[in-house]
């Protein structure tokens, strides 16, 4: 039986009273190893017994403890406790029996992220400092990181306060650069960076801001910006000094050093105290996005730093900061940061007397474009053409003769460095904002928006940036559907649409439209070679089915699928759904939810974790314990204010949590859901399945872990087509005759057949998986992770369908199968 601590205490006191230092050393060593926490009052009481001994006796005890340490051999966990015990007992004696070993231990400690607080490693650092030696920067970093953790003890906080050098922790690219540059900078810079590390609140206090502004004044605002922005440009790069990762520890080398994270928060706030500058806005926006990138076992890299970036942007006046807030609001999915962005935009809107939607529309800058999608600037004898081509910005240089040149002319680099910097920055800004605005427009279908014609024309059709998207969409002007072609809004017949100041404009959606008219508009887009920024004319429409009329209040249309949980989670957030990653724990989780406040509705997509127990538990979970895969179930609708359902993480019945005596709120009949809402919600769920299904993984021919998903993989990878794939088949039927390989391709049922020299290949139009003759042998081709653009030179009527692009790329390759050079593919042919 374990010895009670009261008995242990008595034995220690008896040994001390007897003057038996050997026995006392053994008892203290045994109890140090057995203690869960060297800070625990029961163990500290035993150390106090030793500290009350005369110095001569304590020196003998110290020698006995040092001998006990040496006898422990290679049992590292015990040696750590014993070394801490030696330093606790020897405090103030002047003896240092383990000095060399202590230095080695501290250096070894620096290879990790932190340490278990109960081991009291700060005692070793205090002893090292008392011996007159300094701690290596990497060792300082460990204690600083440990001091930021919630379970730190006062002794660690006291030690961390003493460790003032270096100003930030080494090991991260930005911090290393700051440490290297500080000696050559104004002395106030060190004080400013140290001040930044004290940024631990959600926003700067008046006192904190006053101190920061005083230091900024001594350095100069331009000097602060010029030094800090290059540091921030390095944030998020791989660690320069990788840390050893323990088993089950999260990906610490992709996370921010928590001490340095405080410094980043402070730097973000400091930048908001400077005069507004476009470079500052760009840097803060990049910091927000970098800080929200996911890290295995952690989630978003550092939301507090992201939030500090948003707080800083919200304090900066001017169009550039407002535009960046608006852009981030379309891209950020992390709930708390998104809430800060929403608040910042709503506050700006209130000040200007505008709605939130209007402030987002007015916040979009032109980034130097002087007409829709284009600007021309003369720099000496060289012309710079900045243009938008689809979803990308291009910068083209022409010499005095008008001929395009591949690289930036030397004269421009020499004589116009600032203009060149501005143009390059504009290309990056345009690319980011084009993507953000396309996503914003795609969400307008459920927004129930209409615009006065004059305002719409200014903010959309004729806006230098947004116009490149708006002119590729279909609109309804006073009830008449139109598209932009040949410099004007035109009907199907080509007639120019007449509109006046009293006209109103809406975004066109195919729901409720005559099918023949929808087809006609698709042909109109193809005839005018218009590639829409997302599916609009080709948008899938999901009408109520007989099966859904029978089930009444739920849809099983997308049930019984197996999805990659983390990919589903990211897609859901991007489409405006609220979802929680399911951990393999005994806990309840809500379904994935999309709230539709303008309709008074809430959509729920019921999902559950798969696996996590039995022999395959380690194949079904991440190292941090979250499910790798989830199963899908029903889609339901409830009133917006109805209590939320929940179910066990690993599956089971969903139920509604209710206060005592309250009756459950019934789901709404699907027949009562507006057709547009039903279609868009089901389209989202179809997207989740179509993108995140394990059936899309070409390497899962064996059915994944343990072969358990072979039947599902086969049924999905080669089964009946969903709505998206049906639309893909119709589109390819029209496009194939225009392709160079069109003569070798046919559409048959669920497959695109491609006739090569070696085989005929059947590419499934839903998954992109391939079978080849003879005997329908499976051919595994893994597309590259980079974006696939489809067959070179082929026209596609819309952007964003990666599966369509993958299918076309595979078809182009397989039509010329004798020219394939990839050995992994050749071995299968």
């Amino acid at each position: 039986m374990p010895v009670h601590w009261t008995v242990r205490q008595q034995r220690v006191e008896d040994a001390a009273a007897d003057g038996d230092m050997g026995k006392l050393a053994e008892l203290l060593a045994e109890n140090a190893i057995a203690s869960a926490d060297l800070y625990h009052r029961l163990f500290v009481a035993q150390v106090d017994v030793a500290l009350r001994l005369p110095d001569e006796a304590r020196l003998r005890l110290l020698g006995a403890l040092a001998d006990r340490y040496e006898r422990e051999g290679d049992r590292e966990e015990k040696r750590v406790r014993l070394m801490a015990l030696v330093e606790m007992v020897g405090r103030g004696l002047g003896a240092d029996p383990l000095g060399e070993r202590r230095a080695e231990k501290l250096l070894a400690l620096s290879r990790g992220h932190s340490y278990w607080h109960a081991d009291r490693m700060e005692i070793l650092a205090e002893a090292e400092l008392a011996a007159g030696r300094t701690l290596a920067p990497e060792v300082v970093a460990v204690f600083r990181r440990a001091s930021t953790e919630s379970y730190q003890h006062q002794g660690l906080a006291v030690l961390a306060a003493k460790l003032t050098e270096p100003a930030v922790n080494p090991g991260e690219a930005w911090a290393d650069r700051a440490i290297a540059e500080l000696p050559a900078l104004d002395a106030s810079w060190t004080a400013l960076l140290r001040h930044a590390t004290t940024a631990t609140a959600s926003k700067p206090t008046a006192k904190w801001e006053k101190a920061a502004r005083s230091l900024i004044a001594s350095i100069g605002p331009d000097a602060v910006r010029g030094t800090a922005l290059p540091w921030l440009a390095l944030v998020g790069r791989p660690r320069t000094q990788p840390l050893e990762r323990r088993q089950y520890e999260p990906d610490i080398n992709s996370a921010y050093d928590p001490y340095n994270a405080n410094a980043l928060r402070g730097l973000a706030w400091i930048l908001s105290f400077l005069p507004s500058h476009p470079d500052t806005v760009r840097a803060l926006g990049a910091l927000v996005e970098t800080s929200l990138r996911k890290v295995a076992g952690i989630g978003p890299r550092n939301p507090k730093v992201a939030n500090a970036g948003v707080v800083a942007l919200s304090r900066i006046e001017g169009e550039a900061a407002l535009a960046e807030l608006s852009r981030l609001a379309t891209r950020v999915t992390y709930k708390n940061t998104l809430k800060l962005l929403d608040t910042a935009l709503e506050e700006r809107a209130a000040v200007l007397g505008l709605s939130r939607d209007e402030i987002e529309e007015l916040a979009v800058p032109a980034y130097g474009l002087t007409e829709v999608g284009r600007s021309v600037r003369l720099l000496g004898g060289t012309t710079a053409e900045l243009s938008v081509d689809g979803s990308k910005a291009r910068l083209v240089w022409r010499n005095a003769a008008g001929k395009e040149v591949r690289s930036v002319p030397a004269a421009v680099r020499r004589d116009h460095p600032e203009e060149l910097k501005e143009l390059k920055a504009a290309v990056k800004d345009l690319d980011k904002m084009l993507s953000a605005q396309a996503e914003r427009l795609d969400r307008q279908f459920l927004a129930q928006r209409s615009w006065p014609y004059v305002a719409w024309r200014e903010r959309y059709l004729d806006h230098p940036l947004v116009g490149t998207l708006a002119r590729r969409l279909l609109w309804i002007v006073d009830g008449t559907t139109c598209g932009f072609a040949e410099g004007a809004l035109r009907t199907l017949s080509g007639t120019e649409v007449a509109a006046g100041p009293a006209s109103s404009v809406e975004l066109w959606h195919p729901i409720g439209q005559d099918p023949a008219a929808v087809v006609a508009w698709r042909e109109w887009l193809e005839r005018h070679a218009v590639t829409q920024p997302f599916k609009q004319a080709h948008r899938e429409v999901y009408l109520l089915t007989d099966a859904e009329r029978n089930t009444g209040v739920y849809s099983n249309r997308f049930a019984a699928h197996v999805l990659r949980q983390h990919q589903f989670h990211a897609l859901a957030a991007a489409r405006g759904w609220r979802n929680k990653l399911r951990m393999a724990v005994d806990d309840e989780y809500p379904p994935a939810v999309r709230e539709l406040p303008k309709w008074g509705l809430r959509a729920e997509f019921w999902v559950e974790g798969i696996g996590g127990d039995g022999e395959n538990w380690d194949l079904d979970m991440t190292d941090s314990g979250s499910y790798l895969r989830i199963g899908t179930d029903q889609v339901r609708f409830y009133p917006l204010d109805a209590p939320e359902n929940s179910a066990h993480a690993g599956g089971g019945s969903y139920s509604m949590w209710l206060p005592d005596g309250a009756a459950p709120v019934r789901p709404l009949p699907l027949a009562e859901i507006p057709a547009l809402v039903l279609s868009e919600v089901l389209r989202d769920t179809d997207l989740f399945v179509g993108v995140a299904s394990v059936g899309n993984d070409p390497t899962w021919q064996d059915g994944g872990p343990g072969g358990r998903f072979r039947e599902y993989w086969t049924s999905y990878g080669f089964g009946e087509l969903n709505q998206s794939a049906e639309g893909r088949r119709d589109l390819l039927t029209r496009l194939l005759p225009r392709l160079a390989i069109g003569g070798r391709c046919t559409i048959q049922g669920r497959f695109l057949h491609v006739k090569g020299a070696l085989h005929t290949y059947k590419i499934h139009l839903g998954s992109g998986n391939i079978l080849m003759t003879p005997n329908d042998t499976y051919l595994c081709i893994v597309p590259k992770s980079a974006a696939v653009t489809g067959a070179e030179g082929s026209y596609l009527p819309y952007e964003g369908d990666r599966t369509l692009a993958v299918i076309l790329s595979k078809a182009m390759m397989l039509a010329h199968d004798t020219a394939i050079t990839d050995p992994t593919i050749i071995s299968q042919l």
Side-chain angles (χ1 to χ4, degrees):
M1 288 183 61
V3 180
H4 194 276
W5 277 96
T6 303
V7 177
R8 293 176 186 266
Q9 178 75 19
Q10 188 60 54
R11 290 176 178 174
V12 166
E13 291 179 357
D14 290 346
D18 294 341
D20 191 341
M21 297 301 107
K23 182 177 181 180
L24 181 57
E26 289 299 322
L27 288 171
L28 289 174
E30 176 187 327
N31 294 342
I33 292 169
S35 176
D37 187 347
L38 296 188
Y39 280 103
H40 197 282
R41 60 181 180 81
L42 295 175
F43 180 73
V44 171
Q46 296 182 9
V47 175
D48 286 342
V49 172
L51 293 176
R52 290 195 294 269
L53 291 170
D55 287 355
E56 182 274 331
R58 197 147 55 104
L59 283 168
R60 287 191 288 116
L61 174 60
L62 197 62
L65 286 172
D67 290 342
R68 178 69 171 79
Y69 173 88
E70 298 295 350
R71 295 200 308 273
E72 200 56 50
D74 295 330
R75 289 172 287 192
E76 192 58 31
E77 291 182 8
K78 295 182 179 180
R79 288 166 67 90
V80 165
R81 292 294 182 92
L82 293 175
M83 181 174 284
L85 175 61
V86 168
E87 303 302 345
M88 293 169 75
V89 170
R91 188 179 302 147
L93 282 177
D96 198 7
L98 297 181
E100 291 185 9
R101 298 296 182 92
R102 183 179 62 237
E104 294 172 3
K105 176 60 64 181
L106 288 170
L107 198 57
L109 183 68
S110 70
R111 294 196 288 269
H113 179 268
S114 185
Y115 65 90
W116 177 232
H117 73 283
D119 290 340
R120 299 195 67 172
M121 298 295 285
E122 69 276 8
I123 293 174
L124 308 189
E126 291 282 12
E128 194 73 356
L129 294 175
R133 291 190 284 269
T134 58
L135 301 180
E138 296 77 15
V139 177
V140 169
V142 173
F143 289 110
R144 283 175 170 172
R145 288 194 290 265
S147 71
T148 65
E149 295 170 346
S150 59
Y151 45 72
Q152 63 154 309
H153 288 264
Q154 186 59 35
L156 180 55
V158 170
L159 170 65
K162 297 178 183 177
L163 304 176
T164 59
E165 291 294 338
V168 288
N169 286 347
E172 294 179 327
W174 82 268
D176 289 351
R177 179 164 177 173
I179 292 169
E181 291 181 354
L182 281 178
L185 295 174
D186 186 289
S188 296
W189 250 113
T190 300
L192 184 62
L193 193 52
R194 285 177 180 160
H195 184 59
T197 64
T198 66
T200 56
S202 59
K203 58 183 179 181
T205 63
K207 180 180 179 182
W208 196 97
E209 180 176 345
K210 181 180 179 180
R213 287 186 180 277
S214 175
L215 291 166
I216 290 170
S218 66
I219 298 170
D222 291 342
V224 170
R225 181 188 305 107
T227 299
L229 293 192
W231 293 354
L232 293 187
L234 301 176
V235 172
R237 292 192 180 185
R239 281 189 62 88
T240 56
Q241 299 173 19
L243 301 171
E244 293 178 355
R245 184 179 175 188
R246 297 189 297 266
Q247 188 177 19
Y248 303 122
E249 192 171 27
D251 186 6
I252 51 177
N253 286 306
S254 296
Y256 290 168
D257 181 302
Y259 184 83
N260 288 354
N262 288 338
L264 290 174
R265 294 166 74 185
L267 286 173
W269 295 346
I270 287 165
L271 289 172
S272 73
F273 305 152
L274 307 179
S276 179
H277 193 283
D279 288 348
T280 300
V281 170
R282 292 187 190 104
L284 289 171
L287 181 65
V288 172
E289 292 187 290
T290 300
S291 301
L292 291 178
R293 287 187 187 137
K294 299 292 180 63
V295 173
I298 294 175
R301 185 180 268 153
N302 199 297
K304 290 182 178 180
V305 174
N307 293 349
V310 173
V311 168
L313 284 168
S314 69
R315 296 170 60 102
I316 298 175
E317 297 295 330
E319 179 187 85
L322 181 57
E324 191 65 13
L325 288 168
S326 177
R327 183 187 72 81
L328 289 170
T330 68
R331 307 305 302 272
V332 167
T333 58
Y334 184 70
K335 185 177 179 180
N336 290 341
T337 306
L338 184 57
K339 184 178 179 180
L340 279 178
L341 286 164
D342 288 339
T343 300
L345 288 170
E346 286 164 5
E347 288 176 351
R348 290 286 181 98
V351 169
L352 296 174
L354 301 171
S355 70
R356 163 67 185 276
D357 290 329
E358 287 177 310
I359 199 74
E360 287 195 1
E361 291 168 353
L362 294 171
V364 185
Y367 294 119
L369 299 175
T370 54
E371 55 186 288
V372 176
R374 187 171 182 270
S375 70
V376 176
R377 185 180 300 187
L378 189 63
L379 300 176
T382 302
T383 301
E385 295 181 5
L386 179 63
S387 63
V388 175
D389 182 8
S391 60
K392 288 289 184 181
R394 297 178 66 240
L395 181 58
V396 174
W397 298 93
R398 298 186 186 278
N399 60 22
K403 183 179 179 181
E404 183 176 335
V405 293
R406 290 188 176 183
S407 59
V408 182
V412 173
R413 295 181 185 275
R414 182 186 65 245
D415 301 333
H416 305 278
E418 289 302 315
E419 291 92 336
L420 176 59
K421 177 184 174 183
E422 180 184 336
L423 284 167
K424 288 183 175 181
V427 172
K428 294 180 180 179
D429 290 341
L430 279 166
D431 284 346
K432 290 180 180 179
M433 188 58 84
L434 282 166
S435 174
Q437 291 302 310
E439 290 182 19
R440 183 176 70 83
L441 281 166
D442 195 10
R443 295 178 185 177
Q444 293 299 310
F445 291 113
L446 287 175
Q448 294 186 294
R449 293 287 310 281
S450 65
W451 297 265
Y453 177 78
V454 174
W456 170 79
R457 184 111 199 179
E458 177 186 354
R459 300 174 191 174
Y460 285 87
L461 200 68
D462 294 336
H463 188 280
L465 184 150
V466 183
T468 66
L469 304 170
R471 293 186 178 192
R472 295 188 281 143
L473 295 172
L474 301 179
W475 301 88
I476 301 174
V477 179
D478 288 340
T480 300
T481 303
C482 56
F484 189 85
E486 299 172 9
L489 291 169
R490 301 186 183 278
T491 64
L492 270 174
S493 63
T495 304
E496 187 171 341
V497 174
S503 298
S504 66
V505 183
E506 300 173 29
L507 188 60
W508 181 91
H509 191 284
I511 196 82
Q513 304 287 337
D514 178 69
V518 174
V519 171
W521 274 111
R522 290 176 180 176
E523 292 173 347
W524 185 93
L525 291 168
E526 292 172 22
R527 191 164 60 251
H528 289 88
V530 174
T531 297
Q532 297 198 293
F534 47 81
K535 287 185 181 180
Q536 186 192 28
H538 293 78
R539 202 173 189 84
E540 303 85 359
V541 171
Y542 299 80
L543 303 176
L544 200 63
T545 64
D546 289 339
E548 288 161 343
R549 290 189 181 91
N550 289 333
T551 55
V553 296
Y554 63 87
S555 170
N556 270 332
R557 200 183 303 198
F558 301 105
H561 287 280
V562 180
L563 311 185
R564 293 176 287 267
Q565 178 177 207
H566 292 77
Q567 190 171 18
F568 163 74
H569 182 69
L571 282 169
R575 293 298 302 167
W577 290 69
R578 176 165 45 86
N579 181 62
K580 289 182 69 176
L581 279 175
R582 279 157 172 73
M583 307 294 290
V585 294
D586 185 15
D587 199 3
E588 296 275 317
Y589 285 81
V593 168
R594 183 169 183 183
E595 294 177 340
L596 304 163
K598 292 192 176 181
W599 301 85
L601 295 172
R602 184 184 78 230
E604 293 186 355
F605 186 26
W606 290 6
V607 296
E608 62 183 34
I610 293 178
D613 54 15
E615 294 181 359
N616 296 298
W617 70 269
D618 58 332
L619 301 177
D620 292 327
M621 296 188 302
T622 65
D623 288 345
S624 59
S626 60
Y627 287 105
L628 284 168
R629 289 166 287 278
I630 55 172
T632 65
D633 200 350
Q634 302 174 7
V635 174
R636 294 188 175 209
F637 291 85
Y638 289 87
L640 185 62
D641 58 356
E644 206 164 69
N645 289 294
S646 64
H648 192 274
S653 176
Y654 272 88
S655 59
M656 190 173 284
W657 184 90
L658 298 164
D660 292 341
V665 177
R666 299 281 300 166
L668 298 170
L670 296 181
E672 297 180 6
I673 304 302
L676 175 62
V677 174
L678 179 68
S679 183
E680 285 297 299
V681 167
L682 292 179
R683 183 177 184 271
D684 278 352
T685 52
D686 194 358
L687 171 71
F688 301 154
V689 171
V691 174
S693 171
V694 299
N696 289 326
D697 190 336
T699 66
W700 268 44
Q701 183 190 12
D702 60 356
R708 289 173 295 142
F709 304 103
R710 184 180 292 110
E711 183 177 346
Y712 171 75
W713 184 86
T714 302
S715 66
Y716 181 89
F718 299 105
E720 294 298 323
L721 301 182
N722 61 14
Q723 198 105 354
S724 296
E726 290 280 4
R728 207 171 284 137
R729 178 173 62 187
D730 294 342
L731 175 62
L732 284 171
T733 300
R734 295 197 305 275
L735 290 183
L736 283 177
R738 308 177 194 175
L739 300 180
I741 62 168
R744 302 185 184 187
C745 300
T746 57
I747 301 288
Q748 297 181 32
R750 302 188 294 268
F751 296 90
L752 168 63
H753 289 238
V754 181
K755 185 173 179 58
L758 304 176
H759 302 277
T760 294
Y761 306 91
K762 296 162 59 177
I763 307 176
H764 190 262
L765 296 171
S767 65
N769 290 334
I770 307 167
L771 300 174
M772 61 182 177
T773 57
N775 304 323
D776 281 348
T777 306
Y778 178 66
L779 174 61
C780 178
I781 298 180
V782 181
K784 295 180 179 179
S785 58
V788 180
T789 57
E792 185 178 352
S794 63
Y795 161 78
L796 295 179
Y798 50 80
E799 299 170 358
D801 188 346
R802 188 176 189 276
T803 301
L804 174 61
V806 166
I807 289 170
L808 286 170
S809 294
K810 289 181 176 179
M812 289 289 290
M813 177 191 295
L814 296 172
H816 306 283
D817 52 7
T818 55
I820 294 173
T821 58
D822 189 319
T824 60
I825 299 175
I826 292 174
S827 65
Q828 301 175 72
L829 298 179

